[in-house]
Amino acid sequence: MTETEETRLLLDRFYNGLTTEEEEDTLRSYFKGGNVDAALEKDRIFFTALQPADCPVPEGLESRLERQVSQWNTIETATRRNARHAGLRWVVGIAASLLLLTTIGTIAYHRQDTSKMSQEDTYTNTQDAYAETSRALIKFSKTLNRGIEAAERITNKERD
């Protein structure tokens, strides 16, 4: 049997998916050699096209791929974090609503209790009430005047 016939049989087995690694290596070495039969030229082109060729890797490809993968990981992490925050916001919103309702209910309950109490005067004598009111208003007036004077001093310093 000639080399071309053996190669033809190996190619038939290869196309049917029946070849072993060694037989494929034999075909690979035959087609890489320079003396390929002209009848097998189309098969050589097809077979070599299926085989991985030594192609150079572009410069910086690895760093660009690493950067892209890192960016995808960052996006995935951010998406997971946003999903977790969305669930947390939902829970916090419900808790805040319950707290608000409890606070409003407590305030409303206590206001009902205080409105039931009767209003009593603190002074039975009107003269004592008048004197106490006058004393409180004078104290308030003096304190207010001191604050106004301090504000005027600051304003005058800023103008100078």
Side-chain angles (χ1 to χ4, degrees):
M1 202 186 273
T2 65
E3 187 177 13
T4 304
E5 291 172 356
E6 287 179 24
T7 305
R8 173 71 63 199
L9 290 174
L10 280 176
L11 279 172
D12 287 339
R13 287 177 45 85
F14 176 77
Y15 291 141
N16 290 325
L18 301 174
T19 54
T20 62
E21 290 286 329
E22 294 83 22
E23 291 172 333
E24 288 179 18
D25 287 338
T26 305
L27 285 172
R28 195 175 296 114
S29 63
Y30 174 75
F31 284 127
K32 281 186 179 179
N35 55 352
V36 177
D37 191 5
L40 299 175
E41 185 61 31
K42 289 184 180 180
D43 291 316
R44 182 192 66 81
I45 293 170
F46 181 74
F47 188 81
T48 54
L50 293 177
Q51 301 304 314
D54 295 331
C55 66
V57 176
E59 259 186 62
L61 177 66
E62 186 175 344
S63 64
R64 288 191 313 240
L65 288 174
E66 287 176 0
R67 194 176 32 225
Q68 185 65 43
V69 168
S70 296
Q71 186 178 19
W72 287 336
N73 287 340
T74 304
I75 291 170
E76 184 179 344
T77 304
T79 302
R80 253 190 260 133
R81 189 178 310 128
N82 285 343
R84 187 173 49 230
H85 285 297
L88 185 61
R89 286 182 189 139
W90 186 76
V91 170
V92 169
I94 289 175
S97 299
L98 289 174
L99 181 65
L100 182 65
L101 287 174
T102 304
T103 304
I104 290 172
T106 304
I107 290 171
Y109 177 74
H110 286 295
R111 282 211 175 155
Q112 289 175 354
D113 290 346
T114 57
S115 65
K116 293 177 183 176
M117 291 184 206
S118 64
Q119 297 284 331
E120 291 183 19
D121 286 336
T122 53
Y123 290 97
T124 55
N125 184 354
T126 57
Q127 293 298 327
D128 291 341
Y130 179 76
E132 188 62 31
T133 304
S134 295
R135 189 184 65 76
L137 288 174
I138 289 171
K139 184 177 180 182
F140 176 74
S141 175
K142 286 180 183 178
T143 306
L144 183 63
N145 286 338
R146 274 190 301 221
I148 291 173
E149 288 171 3
E152 285 177 353
R153 280 193 306 262
I154 292 172
T155 305
N156 288 338
K157 284 183 183 178
E158 287 178 0
R159 287 183 189 165
D160 294 339

